[in-house]
Amino acid sequence: MSMAGWPQGERPREKLFNKGVASLSDAELLAVILQTGTRGRTSLDIARDMLSRYGGLIGLLAADRASLTANPGIGGAKAARFVAMKELSQRHMLEGIKSKDILTSSQATRDYLRAKFRDCQSEIFSCLFLNNQHHVVKLEELFRGTIDGAAVYPREVVKRCLHHNAAAEILAHNHPSGIAEPSQADIAITNKLRIALETIDVRVLDHLVIGNSLVVSFAERGLLQDCLLYTSPSPRDRQ
């Protein structure tokens, strides 16, 4: 039976209008986005199958176009809706931090970065370029690597800072393993970047490491202070 034959109160779209969006299950929300099913299968059937296949919303929203279109009943148009839905949600979150001092909206910043990068299968090193008021000028993905790491070049980071006329920046990268614990390599590259950026008077305010359920802050861990102590010249060096 198609949804047209269902009682009106059970159809996902009508349920959304009558009872509110919060009353819908994940599968029902997806069915509204899918709009149509296939011969013998409703959009709700397809939505339930996809949630089962990907293990829930996290896996589904991390799927790329090729993976999505491999599902029966999902063509290019439906896959495009899923990709657009994810992008819109991320842009909505980014707008929430663009007009604010990033230091006073740190949780919103973490939520955005975790939503954007936690499901990536390769390591991506990004920079949030900030102005004098610590508002976001631009978020850029600068280096993309493998599941084990990404090569980061301080010279390129300096060039992008100058391009955006940044006064400060926050570094960020994901760990595809899902474990957000900073590595010695993470500490070493942060150290190198701080030295390079000091030459153009750009401050590194933080380095965020993104895992599946956690974002670790170098600033909160005291790791930025450790780098500062390591790079600061001794009294003899200053003479």
Side-chain angles (χ1 to χ4, degrees), residues 154-193:
R155 180 178 178 179
E156 293 302 314
V157 177
V158 170
K159 286 169 62 176
R160 298 312 296 167
C161 279
L162 292 172
H163 174 79
H164 293 297
N165 195 28
E169 72 172 14
I170 291 178
L171 314 173
H173 77 282
N174 65 304
H175 280 177
S177 66
I179 301 172
E181 192 64 26
S183 67
Q184 288 302 311
D186 296 337
I187 295 171
I189 193 58
T190 305
N191 184 34
K192 288 181 180 179
L193 288 169

PDB file of all heavy atoms in Angstrom, residues 154-193:
ATOM      1  N   PRO A 154      53.832  25.095   7.225  1.00  0.00           N
ATOM      2  CA  PRO A 154      53.673  26.408   7.852  1.00  0.00           C
ATOM      3  C   PRO A 154      53.683  27.561   6.859  1.00  0.00           C
ATOM      4  O   PRO A 154      52.954  28.540   7.038  1.00  0.00           O
ATOM      5  CB  PRO A 154      54.865  26.472   8.815  1.00  0.00           C
ATOM      6  CG  PRO A 154      55.119  25.039   9.178  1.00  0.00           C
ATOM      7  CD  PRO A 154      54.869  24.282   7.905  1.00  0.00           C
ATOM      8  N   ARG A 155      54.501  27.472   5.808  1.00  0.00           N
ATOM      9  CA  ARG A 155      54.571  28.547   4.831  1.00  0.00           C
ATOM     10  C   ARG A 155      53.203  28.816   4.205  1.00  0.00           C
ATOM     11  O   ARG A 155      52.820  29.975   4.003  1.00  0.00           O
ATOM     12  CB  ARG A 155      55.586  28.183   3.745  1.00  0.00           C
ATOM     13  CG  ARG A 155      55.737  29.239   2.663  1.00  0.00           C
ATOM     14  CD  ARG A 155      56.795  28.828   1.671  1.00  0.00           C
ATOM     15  NE  ARG A 155      56.904  29.809   0.599  1.00  0.00           N
ATOM     16  CZ  ARG A 155      57.766  29.720  -0.405  1.00  0.00           C
ATOM     17  NH1 ARG A 155      58.612  28.693  -0.457  1.00  0.00           N
ATOM     18  NH2 ARG A 155      57.798  30.639  -1.349  1.00  0.00           N
ATOM     19  N   GLU A 156      52.458  27.759   3.895  1.00  0.00           N
ATOM     20  CA  GLU A 156      51.136  27.924   3.293  1.00  0.00           C
ATOM     21  C   GLU A 156      50.143  28.537   4.280  1.00  0.00           C
ATOM     22  O   GLU A 156      49.278  29.337   3.895  1.00  0.00           O
ATOM     23  CB  GLU A 156      50.612  26.569   2.797  1.00  0.00           C
ATOM     24  CG  GLU A 156      51.401  25.991   1.639  1.00  0.00           C
ATOM     25  CD  GLU A 156      51.427  26.928   0.439  1.00  0.00           C
ATOM     26  OE1 GLU A 156      50.351  27.463   0.081  1.00  0.00           O
ATOM     27  OE2 GLU A 156      52.514  27.143  -0.126  1.00  0.00           O
ATOM     28  N   VAL A 157      50.264  28.163   5.542  1.00  0.00           N
ATOM     29  CA  VAL A 157      49.380  28.742   6.563  1.00  0.00           C
ATOM     30  C   VAL A 157      49.652  30.241   6.691  1.00  0.00           C
ATOM     31  O   VAL A 157      48.720  31.054   6.778  1.00  0.00           O
ATOM     32  CB  VAL A 157      49.574  28.040   7.925  1.00  0.00           C
ATOM     33  CG1 VAL A 157      48.711  28.696   9.002  1.00  0.00           C
ATOM     34  CG2 VAL A 157      49.237  26.550   7.812  1.00  0.00           C
ATOM     35  N   VAL A 158      50.924  30.628   6.679  1.00  0.00           N
ATOM     36  CA  VAL A 158      51.287  32.045   6.735  1.00  0.00           C
ATOM     37  C   VAL A 158      50.706  32.800   5.544  1.00  0.00           C
ATOM     38  O   VAL A 158      50.149  33.894   5.682  1.00  0.00           O
ATOM     39  CB  VAL A 158      52.819  32.207   6.795  1.00  0.00           C
ATOM     40  CG1 VAL A 158      53.212  33.672   6.595  1.00  0.00           C
ATOM     41  CG2 VAL A 158      53.367  31.707   8.129  1.00  0.00           C
ATOM     42  N   LYS A 159      50.811  32.216   4.351  1.00  0.00           N
ATOM     43  CA  LYS A 159      50.283  32.846   3.148  1.00  0.00           C
ATOM     44  C   LYS A 159      48.778  33.078   3.245  1.00  0.00           C
ATOM     45  O   LYS A 159      48.265  34.140   2.861  1.00  0.00           O
ATOM     46  CB  LYS A 159      50.605  31.990   1.919  1.00  0.00           C
ATOM     47  CG  LYS A 159      52.053  32.056   1.492  1.00  0.00           C
ATOM     48  CD  LYS A 159      52.382  31.007   0.443  1.00  0.00           C
ATOM     49  CE  LYS A 159      51.598  31.179  -0.825  1.00  0.00           C
ATOM     50  NZ  LYS A 159      52.013  30.185  -1.863  1.00  0.00           N
ATOM     51  N   ARG A 160      48.049  32.109   3.780  1.00  0.00           N
ATOM     52  CA  ARG A 160      46.595  32.259   3.895  1.00  0.00           C
ATOM     53  C   ARG A 160      46.221  33.292   4.962  1.00  0.00           C
ATOM     54  O   ARG A 160      45.232  34.012   4.824  1.00  0.00           O
ATOM     55  CB  ARG A 160      45.947  30.911   4.208  1.00  0.00           C
ATOM     56  CG  ARG A 160      46.147  29.850   3.151  1.00  0.00           C
ATOM     57  CD  ARG A 160      45.848  30.350   1.756  1.00  0.00           C
ATOM     58  NE  ARG A 160      44.436  30.715   1.602  1.00  0.00           N
ATOM     59  CZ  ARG A 160      43.975  31.414   0.568  1.00  0.00           C
ATOM     60  NH1 ARG A 160      44.802  31.865  -0.365  1.00  0.00           N
ATOM     61  NH2 ARG A 160      42.681  31.672   0.482  1.00  0.00           N
ATOM     62  N   CYS A 161      47.017  33.363   6.032  1.00  0.00           N
ATOM     63  CA  CYS A 161      46.790  34.393   7.045  1.00  0.00           C
ATOM     64  C   CYS A 161      46.927  35.788   6.441  1.00  0.00           C
ATOM     65  O   CYS A 161      46.109  36.675   6.684  1.00  0.00           O
ATOM     66  CB  CYS A 161      47.785  34.237   8.191  1.00  0.00           C
ATOM     67  SG  CYS A 161      47.344  32.980   9.404  1.00  0.00           S
ATOM     68  N   LEU A 162      47.973  35.981   5.639  1.00  0.00           N
ATOM     69  CA  LEU A 162      48.187  37.278   4.996  1.00  0.00           C
ATOM     70  C   LEU A 162      47.070  37.573   4.002  1.00  0.00           C
ATOM     71  O   LEU A 162      46.606  38.714   3.887  1.00  0.00           O
ATOM     72  CB  LEU A 162      49.545  37.286   4.294  1.00  0.00           C
ATOM     73  CG  LEU A 162      50.771  37.233   5.226  1.00  0.00           C
ATOM     74  CD1 LEU A 162      52.041  37.053   4.415  1.00  0.00           C
ATOM     75  CD2 LEU A 162      50.854  38.490   6.083  1.00  0.00           C
ATOM     76  N   HIS A 163      46.619  36.547   3.292  1.00  0.00           N
ATOM     77  CA  HIS A 163      45.543  36.722   2.314  1.00  0.00           C
ATOM     78  C   HIS A 163      44.266  37.221   2.989  1.00  0.00           C
ATOM     79  O   HIS A 163      43.570  38.091   2.453  1.00  0.00           O
ATOM     80  CB  HIS A 163      45.275  35.398   1.603  1.00  0.00           C
ATOM     81  CG  HIS A 163      44.096  35.430   0.689  1.00  0.00           C
ATOM     82  ND1 HIS A 163      44.164  35.982  -0.580  1.00  0.00           N
ATOM     83  CD2 HIS A 163      42.810  35.005   0.848  1.00  0.00           C
ATOM     84  CE1 HIS A 163      42.962  35.890  -1.155  1.00  0.00           C
ATOM     85  NE2 HIS A 163      42.137  35.304  -0.320  1.00  0.00           N
ATOM     86  N   HIS A 164      43.960  36.679   4.159  1.00  0.00           N
ATOM     87  CA  HIS A 164      42.735  37.050   4.868  1.00  0.00           C
ATOM     88  C   HIS A 164      42.945  38.210   5.840  1.00  0.00           C
ATOM     89  O   HIS A 164      41.997  38.606   6.522  1.00  0.00           O
ATOM     90  CB  HIS A 164      42.180  35.841   5.628  1.00  0.00           C
ATOM     91  CG  HIS A 164      41.696  34.746   4.743  1.00  0.00           C
ATOM     92  ND1 HIS A 164      40.653  34.909   3.866  1.00  0.00           N
ATOM     93  CD2 HIS A 164      42.123  33.457   4.586  1.00  0.00           C
ATOM     94  CE1 HIS A 164      40.440  33.767   3.208  1.00  0.00           C
ATOM     95  NE2 HIS A 164      41.310  32.885   3.626  1.00  0.00           N
ATOM     96  N   ASN A 165      44.184  38.722   5.906  1.00  0.00           N
ATOM     97  CA  ASN A 165      44.515  39.802   6.846  1.00  0.00           C
ATOM     98  C   ASN A 165      44.098  39.418   8.265  1.00  0.00           C
ATOM     99  O   ASN A 165      43.516  40.215   9.012  1.00  0.00           O
ATOM    100  CB  ASN A 165      43.827  41.109   6.433  1.00  0.00           C
ATOM    101  CG  ASN A 165      44.414  42.323   7.139  1.00  0.00           C
ATOM    102  OD1 ASN A 165      45.585  42.323   7.508  1.00  0.00           O
ATOM    103  ND2 ASN A 165      43.599  43.340   7.339  1.00  0.00           N
ATOM    104  N   ALA A 166      44.408  38.194   8.642  1.00  0.00           N
ATOM    105  CA  ALA A 166      43.995  37.660   9.937  1.00  0.00           C
ATOM    106  C   ALA A 166      44.858  38.235  11.057  1.00  0.00           C
ATOM    107  O   ALA A 166      46.061  38.472  10.887  1.00  0.00           O
ATOM    108  CB  ALA A 166      44.096  36.143   9.936  1.00  0.00           C
ATOM    109  N   ALA A 167      44.229  38.439  12.210  1.00  0.00           N
ATOM    110  CA  ALA A 167      44.948  38.884  13.399  1.00  0.00           C
ATOM    111  C   ALA A 167      45.244  37.719  14.336  1.00  0.00           C
ATOM    112  O   ALA A 167      46.137  37.791  15.169  1.00  0.00           O
ATOM    113  CB  ALA A 167      44.138  39.944  14.132  1.00  0.00           C
ATOM    114  N   ALA A 168      44.459  36.665  14.206  1.00  0.00           N
ATOM    115  CA  ALA A 168      44.634  35.472  15.040  1.00  0.00           C
ATOM    116  C   ALA A 168      44.014  34.286  14.304  1.00  0.00           C
ATOM    117  O   ALA A 168      43.313  34.461  13.300  1.00  0.00           O
ATOM    118  CB  ALA A 168      43.967  35.661  16.398  1.00  0.00           C
ATOM    119  N   GLU A 169      44.282  33.101  14.819  1.00  0.00           N
ATOM    120  CA  GLU A 169      43.656  31.946  14.197  1.00  0.00           C
ATOM    121  C   GLU A 169      43.552  30.788  15.180  1.00  0.00           C
ATOM    122  O   GLU A 169      44.248  30.736  16.196  1.00  0.00           O
ATOM    123  CB  GLU A 169      44.401  31.509  12.937  1.00  0.00           C
ATOM    124  CG  GLU A 169      45.724  30.843  13.142  1.00  0.00           C
ATOM    125  CD  GLU A 169      46.284  30.284  11.833  1.00  0.00           C
ATOM    126  OE1 GLU A 169      45.778  30.634  10.766  1.00  0.00           O
ATOM    127  OE2 GLU A 169      47.233  29.492  11.905  1.00  0.00           O
ATOM    128  N   ILE A 170      42.637  29.910  14.845  1.00  0.00           N
ATOM    129  CA  ILE A 170      42.476  28.658  15.583  1.00  0.00           C
ATOM    130  C   ILE A 170      42.737  27.518  14.609  1.00  0.00           C
ATOM    131  O   ILE A 170      42.158  27.475  13.514  1.00  0.00           O
ATOM    132  CB  ILE A 170      41.065  28.551  16.182  1.00  0.00           C
ATOM    133  CG1 ILE A 170      40.907  29.571  17.308  1.00  0.00           C
ATOM    134  CG2 ILE A 170      40.801  27.147  16.712  1.00  0.00           C
ATOM    135  CD1 ILE A 170      39.533  29.596  17.939  1.00  0.00           C
ATOM    136  N   LEU A 171      43.617  26.635  14.991  1.00  0.00           N
ATOM    137  CA  LEU A 171      43.933  25.459  14.187  1.00  0.00           C
ATOM    138  C   LEU A 171      42.958  24.347  14.545  1.00  0.00           C
ATOM    139  O   LEU A 171      42.490  24.264  15.672  1.00  0.00           O
ATOM    140  CB  LEU A 171      45.370  24.997  14.459  1.00  0.00           C
ATOM    141  CG  LEU A 171      46.450  26.075  14.477  1.00  0.00           C
ATOM    142  CD1 LEU A 171      47.778  25.480  14.932  1.00  0.00           C
ATOM    143  CD2 LEU A 171      46.586  26.725  13.111  1.00  0.00           C
ATOM    144  N   ALA A 172      42.668  23.488  13.585  1.00  0.00           N
ATOM    145  CA  ALA A 172      41.760  22.372  13.863  1.00  0.00           C
ATOM    146  C   ALA A 172      42.058  21.236  12.901  1.00  0.00           C
ATOM    147  O   ALA A 172      42.350  21.463  11.727  1.00  0.00           O
ATOM    148  CB  ALA A 172      40.304  22.806  13.720  1.00  0.00           C
ATOM    149  N   HIS A 173      42.009  20.028  13.419  1.00  0.00           N
ATOM    150  CA  HIS A 173      42.086  18.863  12.536  1.00  0.00           C
ATOM    151  C   HIS A 173      41.373  17.692  13.194  1.00  0.00           C
ATOM    152  O   HIS A 173      41.179  17.665  14.414  1.00  0.00           O
ATOM    153  CB  HIS A 173      43.535  18.508  12.203  1.00  0.00           C
ATOM    154  CG  HIS A 173      44.272  17.786  13.299  1.00  0.00           C
ATOM    155  ND1 HIS A 173      44.777  18.420  14.413  1.00  0.00           N
ATOM    156  CD2 HIS A 173      44.584  16.471  13.445  1.00  0.00           C
ATOM    157  CE1 HIS A 173      45.379  17.537  15.189  1.00  0.00           C
ATOM    158  NE2 HIS A 173      45.263  16.338  14.630  1.00  0.00           N
ATOM    159  N   ASN A 174      40.937  16.766  12.369  1.00  0.00           N
ATOM    160  CA  ASN A 174      40.216  15.590  12.867  1.00  0.00           C
ATOM    161  C   ASN A 174      41.141  14.391  12.971  1.00  0.00           C
ATOM    162  O   ASN A 174      42.181  14.318  12.297  1.00  0.00           O
ATOM    163  CB  ASN A 174      39.055  15.252  11.925  1.00  0.00           C
ATOM    164  CG  ASN A 174      39.550  14.828  10.560  1.00  0.00           C
ATOM    165  OD1 ASN A 174      40.293  15.572   9.907  1.00  0.00           O
ATOM    166  ND2 ASN A 174      39.154  13.650  10.103  1.00  0.00           N
ATOM    167  N   HIS A 175      40.760  13.450  13.802  1.00  0.00           N
ATOM    168  CA  HIS A 175      41.414  12.140  13.873  1.00  0.00           C
ATOM    169  C   HIS A 175      40.432  11.101  13.338  1.00  0.00           C
ATOM    170  O   HIS A 175      39.414  10.827  13.994  1.00  0.00           O
ATOM    171  CB  HIS A 175      41.811  11.804  15.308  1.00  0.00           C
ATOM    172  CG  HIS A 175      43.065  12.462  15.768  1.00  0.00           C
ATOM    173  ND1 HIS A 175      43.557  12.332  17.047  1.00  0.00           N
ATOM    174  CD2 HIS A 175      43.954  13.257  15.113  1.00  0.00           C
ATOM    175  CE1 HIS A 175      44.679  13.026  17.168  1.00  0.00           C
ATOM    176  NE2 HIS A 175      44.931  13.597  15.998  1.00  0.00           N
ATOM    177  N   PRO A 176      40.676  10.542  12.158  1.00  0.00           N
ATOM    178  CA  PRO A 176      39.748   9.556  11.588  1.00  0.00           C
ATOM    179  C   PRO A 176      39.503   8.354  12.498  1.00  0.00           C
ATOM    180  O   PRO A 176      38.477   7.685  12.369  1.00  0.00           O
ATOM    181  CB  PRO A 176      40.446   9.140  10.285  1.00  0.00           C
ATOM    182  CG  PRO A 176      41.259  10.334   9.908  1.00  0.00           C
ATOM    183  CD  PRO A 176      41.757  10.880  11.210  1.00  0.00           C
ATOM    184  N   SER A 177      40.429   8.087  13.411  1.00  0.00           N
ATOM    185  CA  SER A 177      40.239   6.985  14.353  1.00  0.00           C
ATOM    186  C   SER A 177      39.072   7.249  15.295  1.00  0.00           C
ATOM    187  O   SER A 177      38.547   6.331  15.933  1.00  0.00           O
ATOM    188  CB  SER A 177      41.507   6.777  15.175  1.00  0.00           C
ATOM    189  OG  SER A 177      41.743   7.902  16.018  1.00  0.00           O
ATOM    190  N   GLY A 178      38.676   8.517  15.410  1.00  0.00           N
ATOM    191  CA  GLY A 178      37.605   8.897  16.335  1.00  0.00           C
ATOM    192  C   GLY A 178      38.099   9.271  17.708  1.00  0.00           C
ATOM    193  O   GLY A 178      37.328   9.769  18.536  1.00  0.00           O
ATOM    194  N   ILE A 179      39.392   9.043  17.973  1.00  0.00           N
ATOM    195  CA  ILE A 179      39.978   9.364  19.285  1.00  0.00           C
ATOM    196  C   ILE A 179      40.628  10.732  19.204  1.00  0.00           C
ATOM    197  O   ILE A 179      41.535  10.961  18.395  1.00  0.00           O
ATOM    198  CB  ILE A 179      41.011   8.293  19.690  1.00  0.00           C
ATOM    199  CG1 ILE A 179      40.342   6.921  19.756  1.00  0.00           C
ATOM    200  CG2 ILE A 179      41.654   8.644  21.034  1.00  0.00           C
ATOM    201  CD1 ILE A 179      41.313   5.775  19.955  1.00  0.00           C
ATOM    202  N   ALA A 180      40.196  11.649  20.054  1.00  0.00           N
ATOM    203  CA  ALA A 180      40.616  13.042  19.940  1.00  0.00           C
ATOM    204  C   ALA A 180      41.898  13.373  20.702  1.00  0.00           C
ATOM    205  O   ALA A 180      42.293  14.531  20.752  1.00  0.00           O
ATOM    206  CB  ALA A 180      39.487  13.957  20.424  1.00  0.00           C
ATOM    207  N   GLU A 181      42.550  12.388  21.286  1.00  0.00           N
ATOM    208  CA  GLU A 181      43.735  12.658  22.081  1.00  0.00           C
ATOM    209  C   GLU A 181      44.868  13.207  21.202  1.00  0.00           C
ATOM    210  O   GLU A 181      45.240  12.599  20.200  1.00  0.00           O
ATOM    211  CB  GLU A 181      44.211  11.383  22.765  1.00  0.00           C
ATOM    212  CG  GLU A 181      45.253  11.599  23.844  1.00  0.00           C
ATOM    213  CD  GLU A 181      44.722  12.406  25.025  1.00  0.00           C
ATOM    214  OE1 GLU A 181      43.509  12.385  25.280  1.00  0.00           O
ATOM    215  OE2 GLU A 181      45.550  13.069  25.682  1.00  0.00           O
ATOM    216  N   PRO A 182      45.436  14.382  21.542  1.00  0.00           N
ATOM    217  CA  PRO A 182      46.525  14.952  20.739  1.00  0.00           C
ATOM    218  C   PRO A 182      47.759  14.061  20.753  1.00  0.00           C
ATOM    219  O   PRO A 182      48.103  13.471  21.779  1.00  0.00           O
ATOM    220  CB  PRO A 182      46.814  16.292  21.425  1.00  0.00           C
ATOM    221  CG  PRO A 182      45.578  16.608  22.186  1.00  0.00           C
ATOM    222  CD  PRO A 182      45.014  15.288  22.624  1.00  0.00           C
ATOM    223  N   SER A 183      48.404  13.961  19.615  1.00  0.00           N
ATOM    224  CA  SER A 183      49.623  13.171  19.494  1.00  0.00           C
ATOM    225  C   SER A 183      50.846  14.073  19.622  1.00  0.00           C
ATOM    226  O   SER A 183      50.731  15.307  19.600  1.00  0.00           O
ATOM    227  CB  SER A 183      49.660  12.464  18.139  1.00  0.00           C
ATOM    228  OG  SER A 183      49.780  13.424  17.094  1.00  0.00           O
ATOM    229  N   GLN A 184      52.021  13.467  19.725  1.00  0.00           N
ATOM    230  CA  GLN A 184      53.252  14.253  19.753  1.00  0.00           C
ATOM    231  C   GLN A 184      53.441  14.997  18.443  1.00  0.00           C
ATOM    232  O   GLN A 184      53.970  16.115  18.422  1.00  0.00           O
ATOM    233  CB  GLN A 184      54.449  13.325  20.023  1.00  0.00           C
ATOM    234  CG  GLN A 184      54.520  12.801  21.441  1.00  0.00           C
ATOM    235  CD  GLN A 184      54.587  13.920  22.463  1.00  0.00           C
ATOM    236  OE1 GLN A 184      55.384  14.851  22.336  1.00  0.00           O
ATOM    237  NE2 GLN A 184      53.747  13.848  23.492  1.00  0.00           N
ATOM    238  N   ALA A 185      53.003  14.395  17.328  1.00  0.00           N
ATOM    239  CA  ALA A 185      53.086  15.081  16.033  1.00  0.00           C
ATOM    240  C   ALA A 185      52.191  16.314  16.015  1.00  0.00           C
ATOM    241  O   ALA A 185      52.558  17.350  15.444  1.00  0.00           O
ATOM    242  CB  ALA A 185      52.697  14.123  14.915  1.00  0.00           C
ATOM    243  N   ASP A 186      51.019  16.223  16.654  1.00  0.00           N
ATOM    244  CA  ASP A 186      50.116  17.377  16.741  1.00  0.00           C
ATOM    245  C   ASP A 186      50.778  18.517  17.522  1.00  0.00           C
ATOM    246  O   ASP A 186      50.683  19.691  17.143  1.00  0.00           O
ATOM    247  CB  ASP A 186      48.808  16.987  17.436  1.00  0.00           C
ATOM    248  CG  ASP A 186      48.005  15.957  16.654  1.00  0.00           C
ATOM    249  OD1 ASP A 186      48.204  15.868  15.425  1.00  0.00           O
ATOM    250  OD2 ASP A 186      47.189  15.257  17.281  1.00  0.00           O
ATOM    251  N   ILE A 187      51.429  18.164  18.612  1.00  0.00           N
ATOM    252  CA  ILE A 187      52.099  19.175  19.437  1.00  0.00           C
ATOM    253  C   ILE A 187      53.257  19.800  18.666  1.00  0.00           C
ATOM    254  O   ILE A 187      53.457  21.027  18.690  1.00  0.00           O
ATOM    255  CB  ILE A 187      52.596  18.551  20.751  1.00  0.00           C
ATOM    256  CG1 ILE A 187      51.405  18.077  21.597  1.00  0.00           C
ATOM    257  CG2 ILE A 187      53.455  19.540  21.545  1.00  0.00           C
ATOM    258  CD1 ILE A 187      51.781  17.265  22.816  1.00  0.00           C
ATOM    259  N   ALA A 188      53.996  18.970  17.927  1.00  0.00           N
ATOM    260  CA  ALA A 188      55.152  19.467  17.180  1.00  0.00           C
ATOM    261  C   ALA A 188      54.739  20.443  16.082  1.00  0.00           C
ATOM    262  O   ALA A 188      55.368  21.497  15.908  1.00  0.00           O
ATOM    263  CB  ALA A 188      55.922  18.294  16.584  1.00  0.00           C
ATOM    264  N   ILE A 189      53.678  20.133  15.333  1.00  0.00           N
ATOM    265  CA  ILE A 189      53.277  21.033  14.251  1.00  0.00           C
ATOM    266  C   ILE A 189      52.679  22.315  14.807  1.00  0.00           C
ATOM    267  O   ILE A 189      52.844  23.394  14.224  1.00  0.00           O
ATOM    268  CB  ILE A 189      52.301  20.335  13.276  1.00  0.00           C
ATOM    269  CG1 ILE A 189      52.153  21.175  12.000  1.00  0.00           C
ATOM    270  CG2 ILE A 189      50.950  20.091  13.905  1.00  0.00           C
ATOM    271  CD1 ILE A 189      53.430  21.450  11.244  1.00  0.00           C
ATOM    272  N   THR A 190      52.009  22.230  15.949  1.00  0.00           N
ATOM    273  CA  THR A 190      51.495  23.444  16.587  1.00  0.00           C
ATOM    274  C   THR A 190      52.651  24.357  16.973  1.00  0.00           C
ATOM    275  O   THR A 190      52.595  25.581  16.781  1.00  0.00           O
ATOM    276  CB  THR A 190      50.672  23.083  17.845  1.00  0.00           C
ATOM    277  OG1 THR A 190      49.645  22.161  17.485  1.00  0.00           O
ATOM    278  CG2 THR A 190      50.042  24.329  18.459  1.00  0.00           C
ATOM    279  N   ASN A 191      53.705  23.763  17.478  1.00  0.00           N
ATOM    280  CA  ASN A 191      54.901  24.496  17.847  1.00  0.00           C
ATOM    281  C   ASN A 191      55.494  25.209  16.628  1.00  0.00           C
ATOM    282  O   ASN A 191      55.801  26.407  16.663  1.00  0.00           O
ATOM    283  CB  ASN A 191      55.910  23.516  18.451  1.00  0.00           C
ATOM    284  CG  ASN A 191      57.161  24.197  18.949  1.00  0.00           C
ATOM    285  OD1 ASN A 191      57.118  25.316  19.429  1.00  0.00           O
ATOM    286  ND2 ASN A 191      58.285  23.507  18.824  1.00  0.00           N
ATOM    287  N   LYS A 192      55.603  24.481  15.515  1.00  0.00           N
ATOM    288  CA  LYS A 192      56.168  25.065  14.295  1.00  0.00           C
ATOM    289  C   LYS A 192      55.294  26.206  13.766  1.00  0.00           C
ATOM    290  O   LYS A 192      55.795  27.245  13.320  1.00  0.00           O
ATOM    291  CB  LYS A 192      56.311  23.999  13.214  1.00  0.00           C
ATOM    292  CG  LYS A 192      57.413  22.989  13.475  1.00  0.00           C
ATOM    293  CD  LYS A 192      57.505  21.985  12.334  1.00  0.00           C
ATOM    294  CE  LYS A 192      58.609  20.967  12.591  1.00  0.00           C
ATOM    295  NZ  LYS A 192      58.692  19.960  11.486  1.00  0.00           N
ATOM    296  N   LEU A 193      53.999  26.014  13.816  1.00  0.00           N
ATOM    297  CA  LEU A 193      53.094  27.042  13.308  1.00  0.00           C
ATOM    298  C   LEU A 193      53.125  28.296  14.171  1.00  0.00           C
ATOM    299  O   LEU A 193      53.067  29.418  13.657  1.00  0.00           O
ATOM    300  CB  LEU A 193      51.672  26.483  13.222  1.00  0.00           C
ATOM    301  CG  LEU A 193      51.440  25.469  12.097  1.00  0.00           C
ATOM    302  CD1 LEU A 193      50.088  24.785  12.260  1.00  0.00           C
ATOM    303  CD2 LEU A 193      51.533  26.139  10.736  1.00  0.00           C
TER     304      LEU A 193
END
